[in-house]
Amino acid sequence: MPMFNLAFIKSRIHYILALLPKLTLYKLYTITMAMISFFMKRDRSSTAPPLLIVNLTFRCNYSCIMCQKNAPGDNNPYKNPKSIDYETFARLLRENARYLSLVRLHGGEPMFYREFDQLIDLLTELDIPYTIITNGYLLTPEISKKLTKNCIQVSLSIDAVDSELYQKMRRGGTIETVTSNIRNLNEIKHQKGSKTPILNISSTFFGFNIGELPSLVRYCHENGIESLSAGEGWGYDTPYIGEEDLIHHHAVKARTSIAEAQILAEELGIILRLKFPGLKTSQAGESVPGKKLALIPDLIGDRSCMNLYVSAEIHPNLDVIACCDAKVPFGNLRDVSLREVWNGPGYIDARRKLRTHEVPEACRGCKSLYV
């Protein structure tokens, strides 16, 4: 398995140090058993997943150009967006609180979930650490105050600092409002003497916005944001992204921007994580002499997926899947409990197949397994 690069290690260390004080001995035991199962390639994992990824809702206040909301098809879940039933989800959290080391709140836009305030109050009550991926537009001072209690990280989806380009990509919002909300959150953290939530920017790049990468590094420095996770966009089935927009068609421009951002991040102390697999096969040379592109390697290229042992993802309809790339659910929480699904027939079959270098049906299309 390829080695993690330095930026990845630094970002994970900060993350883990913030999380550790929140973990009980039982949570640590659950993590340990899951990792032992992964390394030994067992059929069964820990009693319950240590990490839970929850798509609270497919509703969103934005209409981003790469979002599947804009893709064709009558079965598109983003066109008739559902939200997870709060009572069912709250019961699941109460039943599994002792096992859960971390809950990741995804969407859609998590803060657009009608019971969002109620949910983060419950997570705090149950002492379950959580993270949020958000566009940041709905990050009010009231929510920010609550996030300092048990939220480990807020990852903000920002692809451009330029106001016009931001609005072109993240339709429905403005970079000015998001910036104001970030600064308010940092001020509240300062007032409460809290180091969390750690702030991260998650950016998706195409040929038309890759030039913004150095500016985003500066933006992190100016706004108290610790890290920037930058990756290339894929071929989205929307009318706004074409094959010609993909990074591998703009390799020289991309390498120039990446190299400049790396130098700047080192100077400013920003953790910069890069994932641009399209550049690995491009014929373009390095743009800055002596400066290597420290791209994050594909960590699971040997068909040994850690997700099947450590994390489960839940959709608003209560389907349980392996990860965001998975197509076939392992079960539905209306019919069975999370723990029954986690070590049930679907997960066991998937773990066995990967162990013998087969690809489980649920994992077809995974970008890490290349199938």
Side-chain angles (χ1 to χ4, degrees):
M1 184 178 290
M3 293 296 290
F4 298 97
N5 68 14
L6 183 59
F8 183 89
I9 293 170
K10 285 172 66 178
S11 66
R12 294 303 92 184
I13 288 173
H14 285 220
Y15 195 92
I16 291 168
L17 288 177
L19 182 60
L20 269 178
K22 309 280 188 183
L23 301 182
T24 63
L25 288 175
Y26 207 92
K27 292 178 193 289
L28 289 169
Y29 172 76
T30 301
I31 295 171
T32 301
M33 294 308 298
M35 294 304 297
I36 289 172
S37 296
F38 167 67
F39 286 114
M40 295 186 69
K41 301 297 181 287
R42 292 174 173 171
D43 289 351
R44 300 174 66 85
S45 184
S46 49
T47 304
L51 170 62
L52 199 60
I53 302 164
V54 185
N55 294 289
L56 291 175
T57 180
F58 285 143
R59 297 173 66 238
C60 188
N61 56 315
Y62 278 17
S63 183
C64 301
I65 60 173
M66 53 285 218
C67 180
Q68 290 304 297
K69 179 191 290 188
N70 298 304
D74 296 332
N75 295 323
N76 187 335
Y78 290 88
K79 288 189 174 180
N80 297 292
K82 291 182 169 55
S83 298
I84 201 164
D85 178 71
Y86 176 76
E87 294 303 325
T88 302
F89 184 43
R91 183 169 62 252
L92 178 151
L93 290 175
R94 292 185 186 281
E95 290 172 352
N96 295 281
R98 65 185 305 201
Y99 307 106
L100 294 172
S101 295
L102 188 69
V103 173
R104 289 181 179 169
L105 303 179
H106 292 199
E109 169 52 49
M111 294 184 189
F112 213 46
Y113 181 55
R114 291 188 179 90
E115 291 86 6
F116 182 77
D117 278 20
Q118 193 175 348
L119 173 60
I120 57 177
D121 285 343
L122 177 62
L123 288 166
T124 301
E125 174 195 329
L126 297 174
D127 204 21
I128 301 174
Y130 61 95
T131 65
I132 303 170
I133 295 181
T134 176
N135 56 47
Y137 195 84
L138 302 175
L139 185 61
T140 64
E142 291 73 26
I143 290 175
S144 292
K145 289 174 185 174
K146 293 185 177 188
L147 298 186
T148 60
K149 295 178 182 177
N150 235 39
C151 183
I152 301 300
Q153 183 187 65
V154 173
S155 189
L156 299 132
S157 300
I158 302 175
D159 316 293
V161 173
D162 178 80
S163 181
E164 186 176 338
L165 186 52
Y166 179 92
Q167 286 180 277
K168 173 189 172 182
M169 295 186 70
R170 300 283 173 179
R171 300 186 308 172
T174 67
I175 188 64
E176 291 80 11
T177 299
V178 173
T179 302
S180 176
N181 291 344
I182 291 169
R183 290 174 178 172
N184 285 337
L185 173 56
N186 279 326
E187 178 59 29
I188 289 168
K189 285 169 59 180
H190 177 72
Q191 290 172 0
K192 292 182 172 289
S194 176
K195 294 182 179 180
T196 56
I198 298 166
L199 301 186
N200 173 70
I201 283 181
S202 180
S203 304
T204 303
F205 288 101
F206 302 93
F208 52 77
N209 73 317
I210 187 62
E212 287 284 285
L213 183 52
S215 297
L216 281 161
V217 172
R218 292 190 191 91
Y219 182 88
C220 289
H221 178 68
E222 293 165 0
N223 291 284
I225 299 167
E226 178 183 276
S227 58
L228 170 58
S229 302
E232 66 184 83
W234 301 89
Y236 297 90
D237 189 18
T238 76
Y240 308 106
I241 306 292
E243 168 65 26
E244 68 279 5
D245 296 315
L246 302 185
I247 284 293
H248 65 269
H249 293 299
H250 306 268
V252 173
K253 181 180 178 182
R255 288 173 178 270
T256 301
S257 186
I258 290 170
E260 182 183 343
Q262 286 180 295
I263 294 169
L264 195 58
E266 192 171 337
E267 290 174 357
L268 299 177
I270 301 300
I271 298 169
L272 178 60
R273 297 178 59 203
L274 302 166
K275 192 169 185 180
F276 289 84
L279 294 182
K280 293 180 181 180
T281 55
S282 95
Q283 298 302 309
E286 293 178 14
S287 304
V288 177
K291 189 67 179 178
K292 288 187 176 181
L293 303 184
L295 305 177
I296 287 184
D298 300 296
L299 302 177
I300 316 172
D302 63 349
R303 292 186 176 172
S304 182
C305 181
M306 192 181 293
N307 289 338
L308 291 174
Y309 294 88
V310 174
S311 64
E313 183 162 342
I314 302 174
H315 275 187
N317 66 356
L318 298 175
D319 276 346
V320 180
I321 60 174
C323 70
C324 60
D325 287 326
K327 308 300 181 188
V328 180
F330 290 127
N332 188 283
L333 298 176
R334 284 190 295 262
D335 306 318
V336 288
S337 71
L338 177 63
R339 278 173 268 174
E340 288 173 318
V341 175
W342 181 238
N343 282 306
Y347 266 103
I348 288 175
D349 179 66
R351 292 168 189 148
R352 284 176 179 169
K353 283 183 175 174
L354 278 187
R355 189 172 66 227
T356 57
H357 304 287
E358 297 179 64
V359 179
E361 185 61 31
C363 302
R364 298 269 170 198
C366 174
K367 298 181 181 70
S368 295
L369 296 174
Y370 299 104
V371 288

